[in-house]
Amino acid sequence: MCSESANELIEVSMRMDDFSSEWMHCDRISSYIARLVAQDRPDPLYYENLFSSAMNELLETVYLNHGSEGDLTCRVRRMDETDVIEIGLPSDEKTSDFYTDVVSALDGRDIEDLYNAALFAAGQRDARLGMFELAVDYKAKITVLTSSGRLTLSTQIAFGGAQ
Amino acid sequence: MVMANKGVFQAGFNENNQEFIISGKLRPSNEIELESLLRGIEEAVANVQGRFYLNVKRLAYINNIAFCALHRVIAQLSSRRLDVQFVIVTSSVLGWSTRKFSAIAQRNDNVAVAEYDTEFYPGQSFLEDGGFIPILRNQTRLTWRHERDLLTQHGLQPGTDVADICCGIGDFAVLLKKEFDPSRLLALDHSRSSLEYARKIASDFGLTDIEYVYGDAAELLIADNTFDFVTCRHSLQIFDKPDMILRELFRICKPGGRVYVTNEKNSHCLGEPRADSIQWTYSEVAKLFSHFKMDVEYGPKSGRYLMDTGFEDVKVDTFMVTNRDGDPQDFAAVIQAWEDVYAGQMARDRGDSAEFIARFRQGFQDHISAALHPKGYAGWPIWAASGRKPL
Ligand SMILES: C[S@@+](CC[C@H](N)C(=O)[O-])C[C@H]1O[C@@H](n2cnc3c(N)ncnc32)[C@H](O)[C@@H]1O
C-alpha cells in the first residue's frame, strides 16, 4: 500500500536453522538493527532502546513459532515517524494459524484484557504476549501475509519520537 | 553480593539502603536462567524492614520472559511481606521502563514505582527548567573565544568521536561541529526544554548530524570506550556527587582519549570600580549554591578530581572572560542573567530576606557597571582541565 513512498533502511537474512539454533540471535539482530535505524532519529539512544525492545519481542516470537525450511529475513522501511518491520519466515499450517489468530485478536475490543491476562498469567507462558505488548503499549499495527510456504509479519510502529 | 550472567546483566544487594540493583540486559530464553537472580531478590527481601528498593534505573532491556518472572517473585514476596513497602525505581531515560513496571504496582498494593533520576539532584530543577537558558546562551559565546584554542591544546582533533555531556542548550556542540567537524558528535542533557531548544538551533543552522540525547550523566546508557574526546562544561560543579559523573565520563572515553571539563570559582569573579561590593556578592553566590549542595568553587579542584578518577597526563588551564574580550554588552548580559536566576528564584527558595536580596543584587549591578564603564574591568575566571584515560 504505502511501500512506494517508504524508504528501505536495512535488510538482513539468515537460514532459519541457524537463527533458531541460538536464542541470543534475537538479541543480537534486534540490537544491531536498532542501532542502525535509530541513527537518524532526533534522540538516537532513546529510539534505539525502544526499537530494540520491540524488535526483540518479535524475534523471540518468531524463534518459537516458525516453519522449518528456508530463510529468516528482516527488513525495516521508514515512513516518516513510522518504521515498518517486516519479518519473513518459513511457514506451515500451524505457524500460519498461530500468527493469523494473534493478529485477528489484536483488532478485538478486549485486546488490553488479553494482554494483561497474558502478562500476569500464573501458569505457562503465553506465546502471544510479545505481539500483544506491541499492539497495546506501542500501538503497533501488525499484519500477516502468507504465500506458498512463507509468511510475512509486518509491524508498523512509531515511538512517539524523542521527548 | 554481586551476581552476573555472561556479562549481560549485573545484580546485587546493598544492605545499607535496602536496595537491590539490576542493570544491563535481561533477555533469557527461560526463567531458569534467572534462578540465581530471583533467589537473590528473595534473600534480600527476607532481611529488610520498612522499605525495599528494587532499582532498575540502569536495566536497559528486559524481555517479557524476564518481566513475568520478576513480576511473579515480587507479587509473591509483597503478598507475604505486607509489612514491607516495595519501591521499584525506574528511569525516565528508558521509554518503556516506568510504564512497564507500573503495571506491577497497579496489581500489588504495597508496591510502588518511583521515577528517580528527575528528583535525584538537589537544585537540579533550577537548571532544568527554562530559566537557565538565557544564562547558558550568553556564557558559551564568551567562553568559546578562549576555549577554541584551548581545546586543541587539550588534545581535541578534527574528525574524531566526541561527546558533550550536560550539553545544556547545545550551542557548544554547534560550535564544535563547525570548528572540528567530529566524525560523531553526541550531546546529552537531562533537560527536555534545553534539548528541544538545541534541536531547533541545530536545524536552523542546517546541522543534521549532532545527536541530541536525553539522558542522566550519572548513569549513561553509552557503552564503555566509545568516544575519543568527552567534554563536560560548567556541570561537575552543579552535582552533589561530581565523582559519580567523572567516573561515567571516564568509562565512555576510549583508552588514550581525553576528558575535558570546565568549572568556575564563583567567589573569584571580580571588577573595578566597586570591587568590594562585587566581591561580596560573588562570595555569597558560592554560599548560595552550596546551600543547594552545588560547588561552584570546583574549578581549582578539578585537576585533583581528574587524577583521583584515574586519569593521567592531567592538564589544568585557567582563562579569564572579561569585558575587554569583545562587546562588553555580551558580558553585561551574562551578569544580568546570573542576577535574574541567583537573586530571583534561588535566593527566594532559600528564604532570603529582602535586605539581603537587595544587597546581593547590587553587587551584580556594580559588576555590570564595571563591565560597561569605559575605564572599568570585569572578569570571570574559568578552569579548564583534562586528563587522558590510560591505555
Ligand atoms: C550549568 S549547565 C551547563 C550547560 C552547558 N554545558 C554549558 O556550558 O552551557 C548544567 C547542565 O547540566 C544539566 N543536567 C543537570 N542534571 C543532569 C543530569 N543528571 N544528567 C545530564 N545533564 C544534567 C542541566 O540540564 C544543565 O543543562
Side-chain angles (χ1 to χ4, degrees), chain A residues 117-162:
Chain A
L119 195 55
F120 298 113
Q124 258 233 299
R125 193 164 79 233
D126 189 327
R128 306 170 298 174
L129 176 54
M131 288 168 70
F132 286 168
E133 179 185 22
L134 297 198
V136 174
D137 281 345
Y138 297 101
K139 309 271 174 290
K141 287 204 197 74
I142 308 183
T143 53
V144 190
L145 261 177
T146 46
S147 82
S148 52
R150 289 197 57 85
L151 181 149
T152 305
L153 190 64
S154 167
T155 304
Q156 280 190 32
I157 196 162
F159 298 107

Side-chain angles (χ1 to χ4, degrees), chain B residues 263-278:
Chain B
N263 292 283
E264 299 164 53
K265 182 172 174 76
N266 256 285
S267 64
H268 278 39
C269 281
L270 74 166
E272 278 294 345
R274 295 186 185 261
D276 290 347
S277 154
I278 296 169

Side-chain angles (χ1 to χ4, degrees), chain A residues 57 61 98 102 105-106 110-137, chain B residues 31 63-72 100 103-104 107:
Chain A
E57 289 302 327
T61 306
F98 170 76
V102 184
L106 299 182
D110 53 350
I111 174 65
E112 289 207 21
D113 297 338
L114 281 175
Y115 171 44
N116 276 316
L119 195 55
F120 298 113
Q124 258 233 299
R125 193 164 79 233
D126 189 327
R128 306 170 298 174
L129 176 54
M131 288 168 70
F132 286 168
E133 179 185 22
L134 297 198
V136 174
D137 281 345
Chain B
E31 293 195 8
N63 67 4
N64 278 309
I65 295 170
F67 181 79
C68 291
L70 215 49
H71 167 253
R72 192 172 37 73
K100 195 141 184 146
I104 300 185
R107 298 176 67 92

Side-chain angles (χ1 to χ4, degrees), chain B residues 43-63:
Chain B
E43 283 165 14
V45 171
N47 293 312
V48 303
Q49 269 166 3
R51 256 164 211 266
F52 172 74
Y53 292 96
L54 181 66
N55 178 335
V56 291
K57 279 172 65 181
R58 280 191 76 175
L59 178 60
Y61 298 99
I62 189 168
N63 67 4

Side-chain angles (χ1 to χ4, degrees), chain B residues 41 54 61 66 76 102 104 115 129 132 163 167 169 181 183 211 227 238 240 303 305 308 315 332 384:
Chain B
I41 297 176
L54 181 66
Y61 298 99
Q76 266 167 19
S102 293
I104 300 185
E115 197 175 71
D129 58 25
F132 246 71
C167 66
I169 55 170
D181 194 26
S183 44
E211 299 167 42
F227 292 98
I238 58 140
D240 63 332
Y305 284 121
D308 289 351
K315 295 185 185 158

Side-chain angles (χ1 to χ4, degrees), chain B residues 152-168:
Chain B
T152 308
Q153 290 162 30
H154 282 254
L156 174 57
Q157 286 166 14
T160 53
D161 293 347
V162 182
D164 184 31
I165 304 301
C166 303
C167 66

Side-chain angles (χ1 to χ4, degrees), chain B residues 7-34:
Chain B
V8 177
F9 75 88
Q10 294 82 42
F13 183 53
N14 180 339
E15 282 171 47
N16 295 329
N17 35 19
Q18 307 204 116
E19 180 177 49
F20 194 95
I21 304 176
I22 312 176
S23 63
K25 206 181 247 188
L26 280 184
R27 288 178 170 174
S29 63
N30 60 55
E31 293 195 8
I32 297 164
E33 290 174 40
L34 298 180

